[in-house]
Amino acid sequence: DIQMTQSPSSVSASVGDRVTITCRASQSISSWLAWYQQKPGKAPKLLIYTASSLQSGVPSRFGGSGSGTDFTLTISSLLPEDFATYYCQQAHTFPFTFGPGTKVDI
Amino acid sequence: QVQLQESGPGLVKPSQTLSLTCAVSGGSITSGDYYWSWIRQPPGKGLEWIGYIYYSGSTYYNPSLKSRVTISVDTSKNQFSLKLSSVTAADTAVYYCARVDGFRYYFDYWGQGTLVTVSS
């Protein structure tokens, strides 16, 4: 299986901050990476697919980049509703695997 | 707007079979552009992909669960189902159903999730 790691595991931030989360794959996955946001008690929500494509309806303050093994999710200016846990997911090889998550809190 | 809704028992005894159904509304499960998937999340932990099914009935399962998992589809009811046999406490989790883009393999619509506890 392709192992996904994320760093940091948690980050404390304030409204208006720029936040960057890193996701690394154990082998090259080209651009087959998605990012999800999950709030407590809710299902994950798709933010980004194919590493940098913004899902319809997702605010433009969310951005994704990277290819191969290293990827980043950037929130350009944090809003109160962005405090959540963020997961990456590789879509290159079965079985699909997720990163362990990065919690963004105050 | 596609909506997915999981249903099934919230408590299952050890060694028994967990059974869940996902009802799809707002779109047809026979759309050839999508797969239909199950994902689970143990309390306080990360996400694990269980497997998916195409409307034709073809499936792919996570090898870690393959010996115990069956996913089936009922196109007449626009729903798909999960069976997980020989459950233990380690199978306690929130179970989500989700739609999978058939070309880029991301999960774009999710059900709200249902907690299944394995306990005697």
Side-chain angles (χ1 to χ4, degrees):
Chain A
D1 296 4
I2 294 178
Q3 306 303 315
M4 307 299 292
T5 58
Q6 290 182 232
S7 61
S9 57
S10 66
V11 56
S12 293
S14 300
V15 172
D17 284 354
R18 181 182 182 90
V19 173
T20 298
I21 299 167
T22 297
C23 176
R24 177 165 289 173
S26 60
Q27 63 189 74
S28 177
I29 58 170
S30 185
S31 296
W32 297 100
L33 185 98
W35 288 98
Y36 302 86
Q37 175 195 67
Q38 187 179 35
K39 296 181 180 179
K42 300 294 187 182
K45 172 188 174 183
L46 176 67
L47 299 175
I48 302 281
Y49 59 91
T50 54
S52 60
S53 298
L54 195 66
Q55 172 69 347
S56 175
V58 174
S60 59
R61 63 181 181 274
F62 291 93
S65 64
S67 66
T69 60
D70 295 319
F71 302 86
T72 59
L73 173 70
T74 299
I75 310 172
S76 60
S77 182
L78 208 60
L79 294 183
E81 58 263 37
D82 300 335
F83 291 96
T85 299
Y86 294 84
Y87 294 93
C88 60
Q89 173 238 329
Q90 66 85 12
H92 181 271
T93 303
F94 294 119
F96 304 138
T97 47
F98 293 85
T102 294
K103 186 176 182 180
V104 177
D105 57 18
I106 300 173
Chain B
Q1 178 83 348
V2 174
Q3 293 185 315
L4 297 91
Q5 177 68 57
E6 305 90 349
S7 62
L11 181 65
V12 181
K13 288 182 168 53
S15 80
Q16 294 191 342
T17 296
L18 177 161
S19 295
L20 296 173
T21 296
C22 180
V24 179
S25 59
S28 174
I29 205 168
T30 59
S31 168
D33 293 337
Y34 304 102
Y35 298 91
W36 304 91
S37 189
W38 289 96
I39 297 152
R40 70 180 183 178
Q41 184 173 37
K45 297 188 178 181
L47 298 158
E48 179 181 31
W49 178 65
I50 298 171
Y52 70 47
I53 191 164
Y54 194 54
Y55 77 93
S56 64
S58 63
T59 55
Y60 192 96
Y61 302 139
N62 190 325
S64 68
L65 297 166
K66 185 176 182 179
S67 63
R68 300 193 292 131
V69 170
T70 302
I71 299 176
S72 58
V73 64
D74 186 337
T75 56
S76 68
K77 295 182 178 179
N78 218 40
Q79 65 184 34
F80 61 107
S81 299
L82 169 71
K83 290 188 185 299
L84 181 65
S85 63
S86 305
V87 297
T88 70
D91 295 309
T92 294
V94 175
Y95 285 76
Y96 295 101
C97 57
R99 190 179 80 169
V100 188
D101 181 276
F103 302 99
R104 289 158 290 194
Y105 297 109
Y106 52 79
F107 305 95
D108 58 355
Y109 287 96
W110 296 64
Q112 65 185 24
T114 186
L115 174 62
V116 179
T117 301
V118 179
S119 175
S120 56

